[in-house]
């Protein structure tokens, strides 16, 4: 998406707004919208039935094998706009003279992308990947909205489930899960923090 919009396409501002809009929506509202779209007998199923296929049924949420993929698709749909905006900013921060020099030396657009642009974007790619991994630790609203607790779980949902345990909240379990989440986040952040510190100390010297 970022590469496409970077080509100065017509209506760039509109496209960026459209792609960023899902990220600006409440996660709960997004989950409810997807639940309505994917509930058997309504939403997409209902639209297909009105097209002349009344017997069509697809258990997007109820089916155990599909529930996790549905949550993944909904989560990607919501975060894609933010990632696109970050990557677009990274693309436009690359010196155009470097790309032109590579093309003058005979590199095709694909070769320029792989050997020039991508290496320059790798620090940003690492940061975005780390951010998305940590963000997925707290996936919660789609699981609850889709009523898919039996088929898909996350660390946030496990903490919530421990705390709402009827008559006997499992505070120790919830606390342990929270601590594990923090430890995983620190482990994931460590390489980026170490590299940032090395770059900082190198520049100061």
């Amino acid at each position: 998406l970022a590469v496409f919009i970077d080509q100065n396409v017509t209506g760039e501002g509109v496209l960026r707004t459209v792609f960023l809009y899902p990220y600006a929506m409440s996660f709960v509202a997004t989950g409810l919208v997807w639940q309505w779209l994917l509930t058997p007998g309504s939403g997409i199923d209902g639209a297909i039935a009105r097209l002349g296929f009344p017997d069509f049924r697809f258990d997007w949420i109820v089916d155990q094998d599909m529930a996790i993929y549905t949550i993944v698709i909904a989560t990607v749909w919501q975060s894609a706009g933010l990632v696109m905006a970050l990557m677009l900013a990274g693309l436009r921060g690359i010196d155009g003279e470097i790309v032109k020099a590579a093309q003058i030396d005979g590199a095709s657009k694909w070769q320029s992308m792989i050997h020039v642009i991508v290496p320059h974007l790798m620090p940003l790619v690492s940061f975005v990947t780390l951010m998305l991994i940590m963000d997925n630790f707290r996936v919660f609203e789609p699981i609850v909205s889709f009523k898919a607790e039996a088929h898909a779980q996350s660390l946030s949902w496990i903490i919530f489930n421990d705390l709402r345990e009827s008559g006997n909240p499992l505070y120790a379990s919830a606390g342990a899960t929270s601590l594990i989440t923090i430890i995983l986040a620190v482990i994931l952040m460590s390489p980026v923090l170490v590299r940032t510190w090395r770059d900082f100390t190198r520049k100061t010297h």
Side-chain angles (χ1 to χ4, degrees):
L1 291 175
V3 172
F4 172 71
I5 293 179
D6 191 46
Q7 306 303 312
N8 297 317
V9 297
T10 304
E12 174 186 331
V14 175
L15 287 174
R16 283 193 295 179
T17 302
V18 169
F19 289 132
L20 277 171
Y21 183 73
Y23 187 79
M25 294 175 60
S26 164
F27 282 10
V28 174
T30 301
L32 292 175
V33 169
W34 278 85
Q35 181 192 32
W36 178 81
L37 284 174
L38 303 179
T39 298
S42 64
I44 294 176
D45 272 5
I48 294 176
R50 286 191 291 272
L51 290 175
F53 301 93
D55 297 329
F56 179 85
R57 286 291 182 273
F58 194 88
D59 295 333
W60 305 81
I61 300 174
V62 179
D63 184 82
Q64 181 174 356
D65 296 327
M66 286 300 301
I68 184 64
Y69 297 111
T70 304
I71 293 173
V72 169
I73 292 171
T75 305
V76 170
W77 172 79
Q78 186 156 31
S79 61
L82 176 64
V83 177
M84 178 272 298
L86 293 173
M87 290 299 176
L88 183 60
L91 283 172
R92 294 188 171 172
I94 297 175
D95 188 354
E97 296 300 323
I98 299 176
V99 179
K100 290 181 181 178
Q103 293 175 347
I104 291 174
D105 289 338
S108 63
K109 288 186 176 182
W110 176 253
Q111 290 172 329
S112 298
M113 173 67 70
I114 297 299
H115 299 291
V116 179
I117 296 177
V118 170
H120 279 79
L121 288 179
M122 282 312 297
L124 178 60
V125 171
S126 299
F127 169 75
V128 171
T129 302
L130 177 63
M131 181 186 70
L132 291 177
I133 290 174
M134 290 192 297
D135 195 48
N136 281 310
F137 284 162
R138 63 181 184 85
V139 171
F140 177 75
E141 291 85 352
I143 297 176
V144 176
S145 300
F146 295 169
K147 296 181 175 63
E149 297 92 338
H151 312 314
Q153 297 178 2
S154 68
L155 289 175
S156 293
W157 186 89
I158 292 172
I159 295 171
F160 168 78
N161 190 54
D162 287 341
L163 293 177
R164 71 167 184 174
E165 190 70 26
S166 178
N168 184 29
L170 304 177
Y171 295 114
S173 177
T177 306
S178 300
L179 182 60
I180 291 173
T181 304
I182 295 172
I183 292 173
L184 288 174
V186 171
I187 292 173
L188 289 171
M189 289 177 63
S190 296
V192 176
L193 294 175
V194 170
R195 185 176 61 192
T196 302
W197 175 253
R198 288 177 178 174
D199 292 342
F200 174 76
T201 54
R202 190 182 301 116
K203 290 178 181 178
T204 55
H205 288 86

